[in-house]
Amino acid sequence: MAALSSSPSFRHLLLLRPRLLLSPTCLAGSFSRRHIHGRRRLFSSASSSTLTHGEASSTHGDADGVVEVNPPRGTRDFTPEDMRLRTWLFDQFREVSRIMAFEEVDFPVLESEALFIRKAGEEITQQLYNFEDKGGRRVVLRPEITPSLARLVIKQGKSVSLPLKWFTIGQCWRYERMTRGRRREHYQWNMDIFGVPKVRAEAELLHAIVLLFQRLGITSSDVGIRVSSRKVLQAVLNMYFIPEHLFTEVCVIVDKLGKITREEIEKELISTGLSSEAVQGIINVLSLKSLSKLEEVLGSGVEAVADLKKLFSFAEQYGYADWICFDASVVRGLAYYTGIVFEAFDREGKLRAICGGGRYDRLLSTFGSEDIPACGFGFGDAVIVELLKEKGLLPDLSRQIDDIVFPLDEELEGPASSIASSLRKKGRSVDLVEDKRLKWYTYHIFLSLLLCLKYSF
C-alpha cells in the first residue's frame, strides 16, 4: 500500500487498519492494556472501538396501521451482536461434533403432523404448532428433531451403512409456558448414533456433552449429568405384575417427580389402575441416588443394573466420572426412550435441564419400519446461554473488521472503491466509509491514539 499512498492521486485517501478494540468502559476513561488485540495491523493511525455506528432504537407506534415491532411471544430477533453469539455457540457444537467424527444432516422445520402424534399422553403432543396447509395436509412446526432424524434413516434405507453418527443444529417450536431459558422457539444441537446396541454409544454421547462444557469453560462443579435407565422402571413394574401397556403412561407421570408434589404423583399413578403398594414401590425405587442401593433392590442380574455399571465404568476410562451421577428418578418425558436416559443440570438449581437424551431402540417400528438400535441427545441454545451469563463466561465477540477505507472528497470515491475491491478479493474484511461517518470514526481514532500515548509513558 506504500506505493499507492505515495501516488498523488491517492494523497487524500486514508486506509486504516484497526488494531484496538475499546470496550465501553475504555471509552469512559477506564483503559488498560487488556483492551488491546494485536492480531491486526495498524496503518496511519489507531482504531475505532467496535466499529458499529450507534444502535438503532425501535419504537412502538400507536396509530392504526403501524406494525407491531416485537416478534411473536416466545420468539426472538437476532441483532448483529446476538448473531455473533449464536454463530460462536453453533461453531462450538460443530467443532465437538467434528472431534467426535459425526456428520451433519438437516431436515425441514415443517413436517407431517403424524410424525409427532403418538398415543403416549406426552405433554409435547399438546404443545404443537400444527395446522392444515393449503393442500389439506396436516403439518406441524417440529417440536423436536429425533422423529425427523428417524424419518431420514428410514428413507435412506440400506443405501447407508451402519453405524450412523449424525448431528444437526435446527430450530424447534413448542407452544409452552415460558420460564428462564425456556422459549416457544429455540435452536437445538442433536447428536445421534444408529446401529450400536451396546452402552458404548451412550458413553460416546456423554463424552461429547462433557467436551462441549469444557470448551465453554464450564466445570463439573458447575454442571452435573444425572443418569438412569428406563429398564429400572420396567423391572419395578414387573415386580408388581403391572401390564406392559401401562409402562409408557407411568413413565410420563413419574417424569414429573420434582416438578409436582409426591402426593400428586401418587394420585396420578393410582388413576391409571395401579395399586397403592405398587405406587409406593415405584416411588421408593425412583428415589434412589445410589447404584449400589439399586443393585440391592433389583439384583445384579437385572439388565438395567448391568448397563448402568458398564456406563459408569466407561466414564472412569473416558475421564468424566466426576460429571455424572446415578439418579433413578430420571426417566425423560418422551415415550420412545427404552434404555439409559440422562440429563444435564446446573448444580445451583437455578435453571431447567440443560440437555437430555437416551436410548430409543424401538422408535423406527412406530413408523412402520424395522427397528435399529439408536440413542441420542438434544441440547438447546437458550439454557446454555443463560448458564454462561450466570457464570460470567460469555466471550467478547466485538465486530471484526480488517480495514477501513474512506475518501475525503467525491473525486476519490472511485479510487477508494478500487482499493476496497482489491482488499476484499484477498479475503480481508473491509468497510468503505462515506463522508458522513468520517466524523464519528475520527473521534474514536483520535481518542484511541490519545489513550495509547497516555498509557505508553
Side-chain angles (χ1 to χ4, degrees):
M1 294 307 301
L4 286 174
S5 298
S6 62
S7 172
S9 62
F10 289 92
R11 66 181 182 274
H12 295 126
L13 181 68
L14 297 181
L15 170 61
L16 301 182
R17 292 190 176 179
R19 182 175 61 183
L20 306 182
L21 292 178
L22 304 186
S23 70
T25 57
C26 170
L27 295 180
S30 176
F31 181 86
S32 69
R33 294 187 186 274
R34 65 186 173 85
H35 296 117
I36 299 176
H37 299 248
R39 289 180 297 173
R40 288 170 292 175
R41 293 176 295 164
L42 178 64
F43 270 71
S44 180
S45 185
S47 77
S48 67
S49 57
T50 57
L51 303 183
T52 57
H53 190 34
E55 295 181 4
S57 60
S58 61
T59 57
H60 296 266
D62 295 325
D64 291 341
V66 177
V67 68
E68 170 60 58
V69 297
N70 288 322
R73 182 170 170 80
T75 66
R76 297 168 286 178
D77 291 319
F78 288 87
T79 65
E81 294 79 8
D82 297 327
M83 279 302 299
R84 288 198 289 269
L85 177 59
R86 192 179 94 179
T87 299
W88 170 81
L89 181 61
F90 288 8
D91 286 346
Q92 304 305 311
F93 292 158
R94 287 192 168 92
E95 180 60 13
V96 170
S97 301
R98 183 195 67 80
I99 290 170
M100 299 294 299
F102 278 63
E103 295 184 286
E104 186 166 10
V105 293
D106 201 6
F107 327 96
V109 173
L110 190 68
E111 288 278 15
S112 167
E113 183 184 61
L115 201 61
F116 298 92
I117 297 294
R118 294 180 289 265
K119 301 175 182 179
E122 295 170 305
E123 185 181 31
I124 194 173
T125 62
Q126 307 303 316
Q127 299 172 343
L128 299 178
Y129 278 90
N130 50 347
F131 56 95
E132 187 175 287
D133 70 9
K134 293 182 179 181
R137 293 169 289 266
R138 295 295 303 176
V139 293
V140 62
L141 295 177
R142 65 180 178 211
E144 55 158 333
I145 292 176
T146 305
S148 297
L149 175 68
R151 177 183 58 73
L152 181 58
V153 171
I154 294 171
K155 177 184 175 182
Q156 293 294 97
K158 295 182 179 179
S159 66
V160 292
S161 58
L162 300 177
L164 300 177
K165 296 172 65 178
W166 287 353
F167 82 95
T168 190
I169 303 170
Q171 192 177 36
C172 298
W173 295 79
R174 294 189 189 185
Y175 192 86
E176 59 181 339
R177 183 176 62 86
M178 292 177 294
T179 59
R180 185 182 179 191
R182 181 188 293 264
R183 303 177 184 276
R184 289 177 177 170
E185 62 83 25
H186 70 280
Y187 286 86
Q188 186 166 298
W189 173 43
N190 268 50
M191 293 184 74
D192 295 84
I193 300 174
F194 279 81
V196 179
K198 297 181 180 180
V199 178
R200 168 70 74 179
E202 288 92 328
E204 283 278 279
L205 294 175
L206 290 172
H207 189 207
I209 293 170
V210 170
L211 283 176
L212 187 278
F213 285 139
Q214 291 172 333
R215 289 180 65 87
L216 300 183
I218 295 169
T219 69
S220 58
S221 61
D222 301 319
V223 166
I225 304 174
R226 298 187 182 100
V227 178
S228 187
S229 174
R230 280 281 182 93
K231 295 175 183 177
V232 170
L233 182 57
Q234 184 65 69
V236 177
L237 297 187
N238 291 342
M239 288 170 58
Y240 291 97
F241 304 102
I242 296 171
E244 177 72 24
H245 71 272
L246 290 178
F247 176 72
T248 300
E249 189 173 357
V250 171
C251 282
V252 172
I253 295 171
V254 298
D255 183 57
K256 301 174 186 177
L257 281 168
K259 303 170 187 175
I260 62 177
T261 65
R262 175 169 176 153
E263 290 72 22
E264 290 174 305
I265 295 289
E266 291 176 355
K267 184 177 179 180
E268 288 193 31
L269 288 173
I270 289 174
S271 70
T272 66
L274 272 63
S275 67
S276 297
E277 181 186 11
V279 169
Q280 293 303 316
I282 291 170
I283 293 178
N284 288 340
V285 171
L286 295 186
S287 299
L288 296 175
K289 309 296 182 186
S290 166
L291 187 52
S292 59
K293 292 287 187 183
L294 179 70
E295 188 172 4
E296 290 177 11
V297 174
L298 300 183
S300 58
V302 173
E303 188 176 7
V305 174
D307 287 348
L308 288 165
K309 290 175 69 175
K310 185 66 173 177
L311 180 61
F312 276 83
S313 175
F314 276 135
E316 291 282 354
Q317 295 163 351
Y318 277 99
Y320 59 75
D322 56 329
W323 288 80
I324 69 172
C325 59
F326 172 71
D327 186 340
S329 67
V330 177
V331 294
R332 304 291 295 162
L334 295 172
Y336 50 70
Y337 289 121
T338 57
I340 285 176
V341 285
F342 51 85
E343 58 186 31
F345 65 99
D346 78 293
R347 294 193 185 273
E348 293 184 2
K350 295 181 179 180
L351 301 169
R352 57 171 295 195
I354 301 167
C355 68
R359 179 162 290 277
Y360 51 95
D361 287 346
R362 295 194 291 272
L363 178 59
L364 299 192
S365 62
T366 65
F367 302 135
S369 182
E370 182 179 348
D371 279 323
I372 299 173
C375 59
F377 68 79
F379 194 120
D381 69 322
V383 180
I384 190 60
V385 168
E386 290 297 321
L387 181 62
L388 292 173
K389 289 178 183 177
E390 190 79 26
K391 301 297 180 182
L393 294 172
L394 286 178
D396 177 13
L397 299 170
S398 300
R399 185 182 178 191
Q400 303 292 303
I401 295 179
D402 295 317
D403 306 304
I404 304 169
V405 180
F406 55 84
L408 294 181
D409 54 55
E410 290 186 6
E411 294 180 359
L412 297 175
E413 289 181 354
S417 301
S418 177
I419 288 180
S421 176
S422 177
L423 290 169
R424 287 167 178 164
K425 287 176 181 178
K426 296 177 180 178
R428 300 184 65 80
S429 172
V430 180
D431 193 4
L432 183 57
V433 183
E434 297 181 8
D435 287 347
K436 63 183 179 180
R437 295 171 61 187
L438 179 58
K439 183 177 180 180
W440 180 85
Y441 274 114
T442 304
Y443 168 76
H444 287 291
I445 289 167
F446 281 102
L447 177 60
S448 301
L449 181 59
L450 288 173
L451 289 171
C452 285
L453 291 173
K454 176 180 178 182
Y455 285 90
S456 294
F457 297 99

